Amino acid sequence: LPRLIDRVVQRVRTASEETYTHIFWPRVDNVSHEVGTRHADTLREVEFVDAELGRLAQLLPDNATLVVTADHGHLDMPEERKFVIDPDDPLTPLLVDGPSGDERTLMFHVIGGHEEKFAAEFQRRFGEHFLLLSAADVIAAELLGPDGVSDFTLSRLGTFTAIARYDAGMIFRRGPDGTGLTLKAQHGGLTPAEMLVPVIIA
């Protein structure tokens, strides 16, 4: 990152016309996933980025504009709300395949004729932690935007979408030796911690 910032400063200071430069730095995201948002390693990464952005702001000429933002936030997931669904679970044979999406928002393709059974079983066991919506519900709520969705997107939505209510996560293991839910923090749900990010313009 220091070398990148040095290159940006050099480019902007020597430019003969307007320029645009984009830096993407993934380390805060990566470390948050691995150890959680409040871990000392994560805080060190944030402090490092903060110091380097401060240096960039000081070195840029007065007519330069600096915009800092993030593509998403993060939410810590406690171990007791990490749900791992094994291959022999009663939900698994009701699905065409494992869900798509991620641990916070899962999209289920239910075998035709088993929709009510799947919904009842899922709600009974996980309704406290996940909101289960039909594809029609997702579209009606405009969760994918106000202009409708393409047929391609609709096919990916499947039958139901489960969205974590608070800080839960879920994974369907593909086999008996599949991994569990190893990430300490995740994003992909609709909580403010995951969706709201700062925008700094200097």
Side-chain angles (χ1 to χ4, degrees):
L1 184 58
R3 289 196 300 272
L4 285 173
I5 287 176
D6 289 343
R7 290 177 63 187
V8 171
V9 171
Q10 176 68 15
R11 179 180 188 229
V12 174
R13 286 192 170 275
T14 59
S16 58
E17 58 185 9
E18 290 184 352
T19 64
Y20 172 81
T21 304
H22 176 221
I23 295 176
F24 173 70
W25 190 252
R27 280 294 298 163
V28 174
D29 177 58
N30 295 343
V31 176
S32 294
H33 278 303
E34 294 168 6
V35 298
T37 62
R38 296 175 178 84
H39 193 279
D41 290 351
T42 303
L43 299 180
R44 273 193 294 271
E45 290 295 333
V46 172
E47 291 170 355
F48 169 68
V49 171
D50 180 65
E52 286 301 311
L53 290 176
R55 187 170 71 87
L56 175 60
Q58 291 178 345
L59 293 175
L60 286 174
D62 293 339
N63 63 343
T65 300
L66 174 63
V67 180
V68 181
T69 190
D71 55 347
H72 55 73
H74 262 277
L75 186 72
D76 290 319
M77 293 186 300
E79 292 298 323
E80 64 270 19
R81 285 190 286 281
K82 292 180 179 179
F83 300 101
V84 178
I85 309 303
D86 289 317
D88 59 354
D89 189 276
L91 289 172
T92 303
L94 304 177
L95 298 174
V96 175
D97 199 354
S100 53
D102 64 17
E103 294 91 343
R104 299 273 298 147
T105 299
L106 302 96
M107 288 161 275
F108 299 105
H109 294 254
V110 179
I111 296 172
H114 294 281
E115 294 86 355
E116 290 187 10
K117 184 177 181 180
F118 177 89
E121 176 71 4
F122 189 91
Q123 294 278 29
R124 181 183 68 80
R125 294 167 57 189
F126 306 111
E128 177 185 353
H129 304 287
F130 289 86
L131 182 65
L132 190 66
L133 302 173
S134 68
D137 293 333
V138 171
I139 295 169
E142 298 183 348
L143 295 181
L144 300 177
D147 300 323
V149 299
S150 67
D151 290 340
F152 174 77
T153 300
L154 187 60
S155 69
R156 295 191 67 185
L157 274 179
T159 317
F160 297 108
T161 297
I163 303 174
R165 291 180 182 273
Y166 306 108
D167 54 1
M170 178 180 289
I171 191 170
F172 277 60
R173 294 205 301 181
R174 300 286 181 170
D177 300 324
T179 60
L181 235 172
T182 58
L183 298 177
K184 299 293 185 182
Q186 184 57 299
H187 47 83
L190 299 179
T191 65
E194 296 162 278
M195 295 179 64
L196 301 181
V197 296
V199 177
I200 303 167
I201 302 175

